[in-house]
Amino acid sequence: MFVRKDRRLKNYNYNGYGPYFITICTDNRQKLFGKIQDDEFIYYSKELENLFKNTYSKIENEFLGVKFNVECTMPDHVHFIVSNASDGKYNLSDIVSRFKNLIYVDYKILVQNKFAPQYVDRFWQRDFYDHIIRNDKEMEDCYNYIDNNPRAASFKILLKKWDREAEIEKQKLKNKNNHK
């Protein structure tokens, strides 16, 4: 029987202030939200972009004391830093669960109205990744990672393209040499 490993830090109060670095991925890394173009993330539609912006605001209004410091949507995942100053009223799982649910419910409506692509099977991966930000240096590192994520993804796309082009050229050269 498969037993899911608990990734939570033992004896840590996840009702505490945080801040936390969060990553949530779509199931099977489906590219549902947009694309990387010229070092920037571009949503598939304005409606999809508004869904994410409105969800952050809804949660901040619903969960008093919760604040999203920075966020980044990518084609198949979302990063954000969230602080929880609710004095233990909400824990991190409550916040992330609400985020995932709000996006999922409204995403289905966008699919029906052809503003977003259809997902296959499940929408979100079951879990999420969290990192407790312990000091200013970690906060700066997490912030920079989120801020630079579209450029890093764009660079990886470019590297893959160069690798494919290099392979094609190698194959052409090999074929040319075999025909001599």
Side-chain angles (χ1 to χ4, degrees):
M1 181 172 119
F2 176 77
V3 177
R4 190 169 293 276
K5 182 182 174 190
D6 186 11
R7 296 178 295 98
R8 302 291 177 246
L9 191 61
K10 289 186 187 328
N11 302 320
Y12 184 81
N13 179 5
Y14 282 88
N15 291 6
Y17 175 74
Y20 305 97
F21 170 77
I22 305 297
T23 301
I24 307 170
C25 298
T26 58
D27 191 52
N28 290 319
R29 299 302 290 256
Q30 297 173 77
K31 295 184 180 351
L32 301 174
F33 307 136
K35 62 184 177 181
I36 301 295
Q37 184 176 318
D38 299 326
D39 295 347
E40 289 188 40
F41 175 76
I42 309 295
Y43 284 94
Y44 286 135
S45 68
K46 190 68 172 166
E47 292 78 5
L48 197 51
E49 181 178 7
N50 290 336
L51 167 62
F52 279 90
K53 286 181 182 177
N54 293 338
T55 298
Y56 293 115
S57 295
K58 279 182 192 176
I59 292 173
E60 288 179 345
N61 291 330
E62 187 177 319
F63 290 66
L64 298 179
V66 171
K67 176 82 174 127
F68 291 93
N69 304 89
V70 62
E71 63 273 335
C72 172
T73 306
M74 295 293 286
D76 59 1
H77 65 281
V78 178
H79 296 295
F80 53 80
I81 296 174
V82 62
S83 300
N84 180 4
S86 68
D87 294 325
K89 192 172 181 184
Y90 312 110
N91 69 37
L92 184 61
S93 290
D94 295 335
I95 297 163
V96 172
S97 182
R98 185 68 175 139
F99 176 86
K100 288 170 79 172
N101 184 263
L102 285 170
I103 294 290
Y104 172 68
V105 168
D106 287 344
Y107 188 92
K108 290 191 304 185
I109 295 166
L110 293 180
V111 168
Q112 290 171 348
N113 293 314
K114 310 242 186 288
F115 293 120
Q118 177 65 50
Y119 57 92
V120 178
D121 296 326
R122 295 172 49 102
F123 185 77
W124 292 117
Q125 285 183 357
R126 182 175 176 176
D127 286 329
F128 61 93
Y129 170 81
D130 68 84
H131 173 76
I132 303 159
I133 299 173
R134 295 177 175 91
N135 55 49
D136 289 342
K137 171 75 170 102
E138 283 189 9
M139 176 63 99
E140 182 179 339
D141 290 347
C142 290
Y143 180 90
N144 287 335
Y145 179 85
I146 290 171
D147 190 45
N148 290 314
N149 205 240
R151 285 179 289 287
S154 184
F155 184 68
K156 287 177 188 172
I157 291 167
L158 187 59
L159 283 178
K160 284 181 184 176
K161 180 179 183 250
W162 287 341
D163 286 345
R164 283 192 306 275
E165 289 172 353
E167 277 305 311
I168 290 168
E169 290 303 315
K170 281 187 217 173
Q171 192 61 43
K172 285 179 184 176
L173 194 59
K174 189 186 237 184
N175 290 342
K176 185 178 176 183
N177 289 335
N178 287 342
H179 287 85
K180 285 185 179 183

